Amino acid sequence: MLKPYKLKKKDFLSSLDLSTKEVNYIIELAKNFKNNDLSFDYKNKVLGLIFDKSSTRTRVSFQVAMSRLGGTTIDLNPTTSQIGRGEPIKDTARVLSRYCDVIAIRTFNHSDLEEYARWSTKPVINALTDLEHPCQALADFLTIKEEFLDFKNVVLTFIGDGNNVAHSLILCGALLSVEVRIACPKGFLPNPYVIKKAREIYKNDNLLKIMHDPHTAVQGANVLYTDVWSSMGEEYQKEEKDKEFNGFTIDSDLVKKADKDAIILHCLPAYREKEITNAVIESDKSRIFEQAENRLHAQQALLACMF
Ligand code: CP
Ligand code: NVA
């Protein structure tokens, strides 16, 4: 049975905040939680949730994860707290540090999350920013490990926007030495800083490929992954982006070009018939709902390593 292990860094703002050993440990711990092989007692521990954007999976899985650990959560809805009135981040962070044991934040600017973490004496978790979604990547690689048992020779092809979800997959993929191919239209590349950091981690330069033809990118791939083309906050670009991403839909024809045992992932929520067809989401290759369930187990494991 695995023993609790405290993460080296106080905060989890980026996939880069974990070492390879720590990612592997969290995935193993998550599997143990999933099999009900573990019980931790975090009675009296309180997780605060600050969500500036909507959420179903992240919010509820954090609430259930904390409850399974024996602790509680407080929903610090920005519209009903003074956060929405514009109270400075540095004041909110210092005050909430005196009540809560850990805070998960979903917001727009990654720099606001970093500013919060600078002033918070308690651990801060990135529950999604415009730059990264590292909790999602933990659940994604847990799902991949369950399917393929280890990460050796796994090829993950992400088809879509070079967005927050793609960034965390790239960085977590680099930590785990998984081959990651990003297939995106030319104007929608992942952030160059993320690519640079991933290349510093990868021992082999060929393991990260940025491509523009989904048909080439899926050849021999074991995991096909997509996300919405327009993320939260980009709704005003939707019409234009839908045109730019024409040809980047994961449909049955594209799936046929991947490895015969390939699985399909999507972080959800999905726009069916845009980035992915209804038939592919509902196909026997889809692990999308297992992946959503794994958010709970991965975050329970993450929280267990933060106190
Ligand atoms: N995948 C994900 O983060 O979903 P929510 O926006 O519902 O939290
Ligand atoms: N890229 C999406 C992910 C949603 C979970 C967004 O940021 O809206």
Side-chain angles (χ1 to χ4, degrees):
M1 197 169 92
L2 287 175
K3 296 216 164 58
Y5 165 94
K6 192 157 180 314
L7 299 176
K8 290 233 164 55
K9 292 205 174 168
K10 169 175 98 41
D11 306 307
F12 182 51
L13 309 184
S14 160
S15 296
L16 289 175
D17 286 332
L18 300 180
S19 65
T20 299
K21 202 172 139 204
E22 288 174 331
V23 177
N24 279 313
Y25 180 83
I26 289 171
I27 290 173
E28 282 315 302
L29 194 61
K31 282 163 68 183
N32 281 247
F33 277 124
K34 191 168 183 174
N35 297 328
N36 294 316
D37 286 347
L38 279 182
S39 83
F40 281 52
D41 188 4
Y42 285 135
K43 205 162 55 196
N44 299 330
K45 295 285 184 200
V46 178
L47 164 68
L49 299 172
I50 302 177
F51 278 58
D52 287 329
K53 295 176 174 176
S54 306
S55 169
T56 299
R57 281 142 288 268
T58 310
R59 182 198 301 278
V60 178
S61 56
F62 264 124
Q63 286 170 329
V64 177
M66 202 57 194
S67 145
R68 288 193 182 181
L69 287 169
T72 51
T73 43
I74 302 182
D75 193 347
L76 296 154
N77 181 342
T79 57
T80 52
S81 66
Q82 304 288 13
I83 298 168
R85 168 186 171 275
E87 184 168 9
I89 291 173
K90 61 182 179 184
D91 292 358
T92 307
R94 282 179 288 178
V95 171
L96 293 181
S97 291
R98 289 162 188 258
Y99 307 143
C100 299
D101 300 287
V102 53
I103 301 276
I105 301 178
R106 169 169 287 199
T107 194
F108 293 85
N109 296 326
H110 195 77
S111 56
D112 286 345
L113 178 78
E114 290 174 332
E115 156 102 349
Y116 193 101
R118 251 195 312 280
W119 288 97
S120 173
T121 57
K122 299 292 169 58
V124 176
I125 299 173
N126 181 352
L128 182 147
T129 62
D130 290 347
L131 186 67
E132 268 203 66
H133 197 2
C135 293
Q136 180 70 52
L138 290 177
D140 300 341
F141 283 103
L142 166 60
T143 313
I144 294 168
K145 182 131 194 214
E146 284 179 331
E147 188 71 29
F148 299 106
L149 306 181
D150 70 35
F151 297 119
K152 232 170 133 197
N153 302 323
V154 169
V155 176
L156 186 167
T157 297
F158 178 94
I159 299 165
D161 191 24
N163 65 12
N164 45 9
V165 168
H167 293 156
S168 292
L169 285 173
I170 291 171
L171 295 171
C172 204
L175 290 170
L176 296 169
S177 302
V178 171
E179 177 171 339
V180 176
R181 301 177 189 162
I182 305 291
C184 58
K186 292 221 166 83
F188 299 90
L189 294 167
N191 182 308
Y193 170 79
V194 168
I195 296 177
K196 179 176 161 279
K197 290 310 261 184
R199 291 210 190 283
E200 282 168 18
I201 299 167
Y202 272 120
K203 290 183 185 80
N204 175 350
D205 250 10
N206 290 328
L207 290 182
L208 175 61
K209 296 189 175 82
I210 311 298
M211 308 165 88
H212 303 295
D213 175 15
H215 295 271
T216 314
V218 300
Q219 301 281 344
N222 308 100
V223 182
L224 305 192
Y225 195 128
T226 189
D227 179 19
V228 292
W229 294 335
S230 300
S231 287
M232 289 179 274
E234 294 183 344
E235 288 79 7
Y236 68 100
Q237 298 178 21
K238 215 161 180 198
E239 225 172 285
E240 193 196 318
K241 276 186 120 176
D242 282 358
K243 282 187 213 136
E244 299 276 359
F245 282 78
N246 186 21
F248 284 77
T249 303
I250 300 192
D251 59 16
S252 305
D253 278 347
L254 200 61
V255 172
K256 278 190 205 129
K257 296 187 176 158
D259 185 84
K260 66 172 181 30
D261 297 319
I263 60 166
I264 314 297
L265 300 182
H266 189 309
C267 58
L268 298 177
Y271 285 107
R272 290 172 186 240
E273 304 303 325
K274 286 264 173 84
E275 72 271 9
I276 189 163
T277 61
N278 192 49
V280 172
I281 293 187
E282 301 297 344
S283 73
D284 59 3
K285 288 181 167 297
S286 167
R287 297 292 179 274
I288 292 171
F289 294 97
E290 286 79 1
Q291 177 188 10
E293 178 187 330
N294 282 340
R295 297 293 307 279
L296 165 62
H297 309 301
Q299 281 154 215
Q300 192 175 351
L302 174 71
L303 287 166
C305 296
M306 295 204 98
F307 302 116

